[in-house]
Amino acid sequence: MRTFARKFRVMLVAHYALALTYRAEVFIWALSGTLPLILAGVWIEAGKSGGRPLEPEDYARYFFCTFIVRQLTLVWVVWEFESDVVQGRLSSKLLMPIDPMCRYLAQHLSERVARIPVLGLLGGLFFVLYWEQMRGWRPGLSDLGWAALAIVGTFALRFTVQYTFGLLAFWTERAHSVEQLWYLPYLYLSGLIAPLEEFPKLLQQIVLFTPFPYLIYFPSRVMMGGDLVHFSLAQGFAVMLGWTVVVFILQRILWRLGLKHYSAMGA
Amino acid sequence: MIKHLRILGLFWSTSLAAEMEYRTNLALAIITALGNLVGAVFAMKLFFIHQKTLGGYSEPEAMVVLGYFVLLSGFANTVMVQNLSRIVTHVREGTLDFVLLKPIDSQFWLSTRNCSPWGIPNIVLGLGLIAYAGWQLKFDAIAYLTGVIALAAGLLMLYSLWFSLGALSIWFVKVQNITHVLYQLLEGGRFPFTAHPTFNRFFFTFVIPAAFLTTFPAQVMIGRNDFQQYLGASNIGLYLIVVAMAVAMFIFARYFWRFTLRHYTSASS
């Protein structure tokens, strides 16, 4: 276990250095997270005319939280893994005395640190653009604590799911198509485009059992503070953990099957 | 010109043939496009659960805007996304040398070499959404005609913007993600321009012309003018401004590409 921790630390540092060599790219990636900024504006305007479930201030804060959550939980492992399999680079990674997943994990975690300056910059832009709505926001300490935990859970769930999709690259050359298909319900049901409060009642109930709201809505809503109407914290964490475990088991099975199937082409 | 058209035909038929290797992808693309449309309509309808209008647009009027958005994203996926990510690869691997040596305009080659059929379902569905909303709003033939011209100007703008960003790869090399950034910013075009707060309206008009890409064609069809208070032009004047802007952006893209090329220092040997 100690040697594993040391290896993992070295990988983290190495990948951090790698991420820094492409600072412009990290910056550009972070810029592509501007959707919450746009949506916040539209929803605040819509909220001003009244009659909506949330107040205009809530929309600003909610979308600020979705921005933070999304930046901290971004995952692209399916593309990495797919190109490693297709180009045969996975072979050399398999020879190393550590599960290749750790390497991708380290890569993702390190990139997060390189992203922090941009997080501050765009987050600051939120406060500049929507100062009127944002200035009264005083998130509670316990809310932030639970939100941090939820964000870790979100990252774990998202990474596990996408890595599982990536494993399909053993059988098909375009594993990322599956991720693109998954991205659709993710985009519309995760709470990215609107807080779940805006959904029709029945849909809210159904969606809460799918993994999607736990990728954006749950951590964001906890971070935003205020009363949780549709679920309790415990319930949220339970569903999130449940999905992670199920997908993780599936992923381990696929990994074993896939390795037998892998023909190391190209290398 | 004829030569270019013939070459364009060859380019697209070969790249279509190559893409047809992945036939399951076609089914997937159609499902994705359908799902996307359902999702986009759903997202728009959320606003109308508690309200009658969004930025002064009624539900079918807002759907026209959305239709243009879907249509343009299909266009982007068909001809632009692939080509521009290839520019990056050419610059990084130094294969741009070969492109520059070919006896044909490099911008033409780079922006038309590939064509992906996967955006076509979106184009069809976008047109369908516009037609459906248009039927509800009882548009006449003139509305459609003006809409088409406005759309053409929008396409030219989008292309010019995209290509200018692609040209940046000569300096920054690893910018294939730039398409993502632009795509994200263009998301603002999903909604009628008037649904945004004041500052964002300014941004979507003068910095990223998303308002001209979707709201403008929609509003000429509907017969309203939301830009009047910002640009102080009547509908016809505005029309001229938009067309002139599109042409200017195209000329800029062209010169910008030549300018960046001067800084190109090949890679590898």
Side-chain angles (χ1 to χ4, degrees), chain B residues 57-78:
Chain B
Y57 280 63
S58 69
E59 195 174 329
E61 288 174 344
M63 289 300 171
V64 179
V65 177
L66 188 62
Y68 275 107
F69 178 79
V70 175
L71 174 66
L72 284 167
S73 66
F75 172 75
N77 277 329
T78 308

Side-chain angles (χ1 to χ4, degrees), chain A residues 19-63:
Chain A
L20 284 188
T21 52
Y22 289 109
R23 261 163 299 191
E25 194 190 37
V26 172
F27 181 73
I28 285 170
W29 263 119
L31 271 189
S32 68
T34 48
L35 185 61
L37 265 166
I38 299 172
L39 287 170
V42 177
W43 279 103
I44 292 170
E45 287 296 299
K48 275 181 187 163
S49 48
R52 304 214 73 98
L54 296 177
E55 298 298 315
E57 300 83 50
D58 293 333
Y59 292 111
R61 294 161 196 175
Y62 175 77
F63 283 105

